[in-house]
Amino acid sequence: SERVRLRGKDVIASLVTDLNDMADTVGRLVHEVRDQQSQMQDVMNSLDDGLVVLDADSRIIACNRSFGRRIGKLPETILGARCQDTCDELLPCRASGTDCPAASCRSTGQVQRVVFRSERADGQPGAVEEIYASPVRDGQGRVIRVVEIWRDITERVREEESLAEFERLV
């Protein structure tokens, strides 16, 4: 934000002018990046489904408010944390990576789908979540990130269970 004021027509004055022009350009670029980042976060937060982006070490590099609500934490408080440390009590997958959709996605390079039913504090069945883990690849085709989409399918599962019970009774 600071600019050098130097008048004259020598080499130093020319360099100062160039430096000030570069600072103006960098300032505009930083402003554009912040605007784009804000727009992307707004788009992510507009989703009803939970969305989380994980790096190669399963660290959360981005998530939306819906994901935060699902795990009971503010998105800002979990950025940089490992998924297993943040969601351990919620997910069937633990630090070992067993049945972890992100770990499977990274190792196979394929979209993974997992459905699980959480338990409420009173031991009763909780929400039924469907998680899709999709790979993000670099220029060489290596999986560098995983995007997970979490969808609450509790109502759909209840309806299917009711229909199955009705058909069984018939």
Side-chain angles (χ1 to χ4, degrees):
S1 63
E2 297 293 323
R3 301 296 180 265
V4 177
R5 289 184 175 80
L6 181 64
R7 289 182 171 69
K9 296 189 183 209
D10 61 359
V11 173
I12 300 296
S14 176
L15 290 172
V16 166
T17 301
D18 291 344
L19 181 65
N20 286 339
D21 290 344
M22 285 190 306
D24 290 340
T25 300
V26 168
R28 279 193 304 275
L29 291 173
V30 166
H31 182 72
E32 286 177 25
V33 167
R34 285 186 179 142
D35 282 350
Q36 290 175 354
Q37 188 177 26
S38 177
Q39 289 174 11
M40 183 61 69
Q41 192 64 46
D42 290 344
V43 168
M44 288 172 50
N45 285 331
S46 71
L47 299 172
D48 288 334
D49 294 337
L51 183 142
V52 61
V53 182
L54 305 169
D55 69 8
D57 295 322
S58 292
R59 294 198 183 281
I60 298 171
I61 58 174
C63 65
N64 66 358
R65 286 187 206 121
S66 182
F67 177 78
R69 276 193 306 275
R70 280 173 163 74
I71 65 168
K73 298 180 181 175
L74 293 172
E76 305 82 43
T77 65
I78 59 175
L79 293 179
R82 294 193 71 226
C83 179
Q84 296 90 334
D85 299 334
T86 304
C87 309
D88 189 45
E89 67 279 354
L90 178 66
L91 296 176
C93 57
R94 300 288 188 244
S96 67
T98 305
D99 298 323
C100 174
S104 297
C105 180
R106 271 192 300 279
S107 66
T108 66
Q110 302 294 317
V111 174
Q112 301 294 311
R113 177 183 170 271
V114 174
V115 176
F116 74 93
R117 184 182 301 252
S118 61
E119 257 187 46
R120 296 188 324 214
D122 62 4
Q124 294 296 315
V128 180
E129 295 279 349
E130 180 177 53
I131 300 174
Y132 281 91
S134 301
V136 177
R137 300 176 189 281
D138 65 9
Q140 288 76 40
R142 294 177 297 223
V143 177
I144 56 171
R145 290 184 191 86
V146 174
V147 176
E148 287 185 350
I149 302 293
W150 294 36
R151 177 164 288 158
D152 184 342
I153 60 169
T154 306
E155 280 304 309
R156 184 176 80 195
V157 168
R158 284 185 186 140
E159 290 171 1
E160 289 170 355
E161 289 171 349
S162 294
L163 181 60
E165 179 64 17
F166 176 75
E167 288 177 356
R168 186 186 69 76
L169 291 172
V170 168

